[in-house]
Amino acid sequence: MPLAPDRKRQLTTAALVAPAGLWLFVFLVLPFMAMVVFAFGERAPEGGYQAAFTFAQFANLPSRAAAFWNTLMIAPIGAFLCLIVAYPVAYYLAIKSNPKYRLVLVSLVVVPFWTSLLVRTYAWMYILGSRGIPNLLGMIGIEDVRLLNTPGAVLLGIVYGYLPLMIMPIYVSLEKLDRRLLEASADLGAKPVSTFFGVTLPLSLPGVMTGVALVTILLLGEYLIPQLLGGGKVFFIGNALVDLFLQSRNWPFGSAIAVTLVVVVVIVLSVAMRIAWKVSGSRQVDLV
Amino acid sequence: MTAASANDIEFRSVTKRYGSVTAVTDINLTVPKGAFVALLGPSGCGKTTCLRMIGGFEQPSEGTVLIDGREMNGVPPYRRAVNMVFQHYALFPHFDVEQNVAYGLKQARPKLASSEISARARQALEMVRLGGFEKRRIHEMSGGQQQRVALARAIVNKPSVLLLDEPLAALDKKLRTAMQIELQTLQRELGITFVLVTHDQEEALSMSDMVCVMNAGRIVQMAKPQDVYDKPADLFVADFVGKTNRIMATVEADGATLRLSNGTALPAGSGLKPGVATVALRPEAIELARQAGRDGGVLAGTVTHRIFLGSTAEYQISVDGLGDFLVTADRRSVQESDLVEPGERVVLTFDPGKVHVFPA
Ligand SMILES: Nc1ncnc2c1ncn2[C@@H]1O[C@H](COP(=O)(O)OP(=O)(O)OP(=O)(O)O)[C@@H](O)[C@H]1O
Ligand SMILES: [Mg+2]
């Protein structure tokens, strides 16, 4: 018996979504639910989890305020710095570079991904550490410069590590920008700067928003860069979690922090998205 | 500034190359103020390139483009008093209709008052009969409406020259005809120069007061529409503009007699270069008659095909010794008022003065 068309479409949708849905359920939803349960529990005397129902873990959150503060400050700032550096690069690649070499140049952007971020961040550790730049500065008489284990070092590492992730979406949105719109703008008397702010930038906002959201979200869970370049001084929630789960084995408190972070992120993102939609939602129209 | 020129646009030996491709070669062109000029030619002949050099989007490789008597080499588009209607309109998708039209006004320095910007944008929209559509999004407009938004946007800055790159190509036939009339009216109202690029010969002939026929990067003829049609400069123009019958022929030594390849001799003006030539004859310059009722016809043949078009009919006729001819006959001109049927024998007569002879 043939299926009704919309019944058939539902089945197709289900078939397409099922593998990813199952994956997410098993490896995201279930663990998250476990975490929520843990967060209301107690630390077993020998470490780990012991069943209970208490808000004690959440009451204890202020003791990790610094980690929250660092994460929620440095992640957006880092994403913003990334944007500042990435936009001109993406603009050059998409609009100004010679189309003949464009593909080569674009692939250069992702070349750093060929080596692991761990190795590259270690390199920065050396460059910023006492035998690196401070040593060179010492030779010309500038003593006692501290670079490593500062928020600056963490931000540098962030911009360095996440730049390609910011460049790519912006590049894509600029690349598909209709060049005739730029010509039309010039034709109507707009100087290059006005064309940029009147046409290019607004039409690349979807790429900018994607890049900023992507980098910010990934940064909220960052562990490696603050660990290596921030030392014990600048630590993120990620570092606090590693500490709690692996060192002090306080699973319930770790879970409470993780759950809180997720909630905070969801709230911040949905507010940010709402605002971004208001500003530019009307701008996201198809370029017929 | 130099004294105002009588010509809005002038090309002086302009050549444009893209790498190894030569798009236009040695173009000389003058467009008088207030003219409606059509650049007509087949695809790839360099029409858009010419227009883009006027707009300032391309720079000539050689030669000079002048606007209002001033050399424009190196002057960017935003410093030129010309505006363009782009082939696919290039409307800003992130603005509504009024914002699109107001865009040019917002670039003025010193800045215009926002009340004036809005008033002038609305006035331009009225001119293209789009009053009431101000707040519509671009993608909510039909093709024809988008076309008119593009037009309003281009005229709002009161340019001295309006450039139009195949502005009607994307519209259906009926809308196109309506827009042709609107464009002509608009040009008269504004009193500014229009340069229209088209590969539609009917459009060029019906709208412009000067047609510039291009082929393979060169201008082959620049003349009034009726002259382009009646006195084509060469075989290419004769073929491209309107329909034409080609006949192989020889000009006899006296320079005044034409011998068609089937042996028929015709008087053909004078001063022609003796030798092989191609003769072009418009389908409507030929009169058709049933052989029975007439003699003295120049050519004889058999009707092979008929297309009835209402007041006229098109016949394909296999002419003895010369091959297929196309003849457009007014119904009145065919004797006995009836349509001639395929298979009938007919004679073809024409005024030898309407024959165009092109040396091979
Ligand atoms: N940017 C470019 N790079 C290289 N060649 C080009 C470029 N633009 C145009 N050309 C070439 O120049 C020639 C003229 O192009 P142009 O666009 O002026 O033609 P056109 O008469 O407008 O044709 P159409 O009616 O198809 O629009 C063509 O052979 C084209 O391939
Ligand atoms: Mg073209």
Side-chain angles (χ1 to χ4, degrees), chain A residues 183 185-187 198 282 285 287, chain B residues 52 78 83-84 93-94 103 137:
Chain A
E183 289 185 345
S185 172
D187 185 64
S282 55
V285 272
L287 299 165
Chain B
R52 290 174 60 80
Y78 51 89
N83 282 123
M84 180 136 153
H94 56 307
Y103 189 85
R137 316 280 327 184

Side-chain angles (χ1 to χ4, degrees), chain B residues 140-331:
Chain B
E140 294 164 356
M141 305 287 277
S142 75
Q145 289 167 336
Q146 292 188 11
Q147 210 281 327
R148 282 185 275 160
V149 177
L151 207 54
R153 187 179 70 171
I155 61 173
V156 80
N157 274 1
K158 305 202 164 98
S160 61
V161 180
L162 188 68
L163 308 172
L164 304 111
D165 192 357
E166 312 218 12
L168 310 178
L171 307 181
D172 66 52
K173 178 119 178 75
K174 202 166 163 199
L175 197 52
R176 194 157 62 220
T177 316
M179 281 305 298
Q180 287 173 354
I181 295 169
E182 271 188 53
L183 274 180
Q184 278 181 297
T185 317
L186 192 66
Q187 196 246 353
R188 249 174 265 131
E189 277 173 32
L190 295 168
I192 63 174
T193 306
F194 273 35
V195 180
L196 172 85
V197 159
T198 178
H199 59 239
D200 178 345
Q201 44 113 1
E202 256 175 57
E203 191 169 292
L205 295 183
S206 67
M207 293 175 76
S208 64
D209 37 47
M210 194 73 114
V211 179
C212 177
V213 187
M214 296 183 66
N215 185 28
R218 293 175 188 273
I219 294 182
V220 282
Q221 186 169 18
M222 170 110 185
K224 289 199 194 107
Q226 59 268 44
D227 289 347
V228 169
Y229 191 83
D230 291 338
K231 299 172 198 153
D234 64 10
L235 255 182
F236 169 79
V237 179
D239 259 344
F240 191 74
V241 181
K243 291 173 178 165
T244 215
N245 293 301
R246 286 170 174 235
I247 312 159
M248 294 310 296
T250 330
V251 179
E252 306 243 297
D254 62 0
T257 311
L258 204 57
R259 189 162 298 278
L260 304 185
S261 57
N262 69 346
T264 314
L266 291 176
S270 58
L272 293 171
K273 194 166 81 51
V276 180
T278 305
V279 169
L281 186 58
R282 296 282 185 208
E284 72 278 4
I286 303 172
E287 273 190 52
L288 209 57
R290 289 197 169 83
Q291 199 159 27
R294 271 265 197 112
D295 51 17
V298 181
L299 302 169
T302 310
V303 175
T304 53
H305 225 76
R306 185 188 70 201
I307 302 166
F308 177 57
L309 296 170
S311 62
T312 60
E314 255 178 28
Y315 295 96
Q316 197 183 332
I317 294 163
S318 173
V319 175
D320 305 343
L322 288 178
D324 283 343
F325 265 53
L326 194 66
V327 175
T328 313
D330 214 333
R331 287 181 70 179

Side-chain angles (χ1 to χ4, degrees), chain B residues 13-32:
Chain B
S13 327
V14 171
T15 296
K16 174 68 188 176
R17 281 182 285 269
Y18 297 102
S20 58
V21 183
T22 305
V24 299
T25 313
D26 195 27
I27 297 276
N28 285 289
L29 171 71
T30 46
V31 177

Side-chain angles (χ1 to χ4, degrees), chain A residues 250-264:
Chain A
N250 191 344
W251 291 10
F253 188 36
S255 299
I257 290 178
V259 169
T260 308
L261 179 65
V262 170
V263 171
V264 170

Side-chain angles (χ1 to χ4, degrees), chain A residues 4 66 118 120 139 157 171 200 207 214 222 249 266 274 278 281:
Chain A
L118 181 66
R120 288 180 286 131
M139 290 203 274
Y171 169 78
T200 315
L214 191 68
E222 182 61 43
R249 293 183 44 78
V266 167
R274 184 89 22 115
K278 268 222 176 89

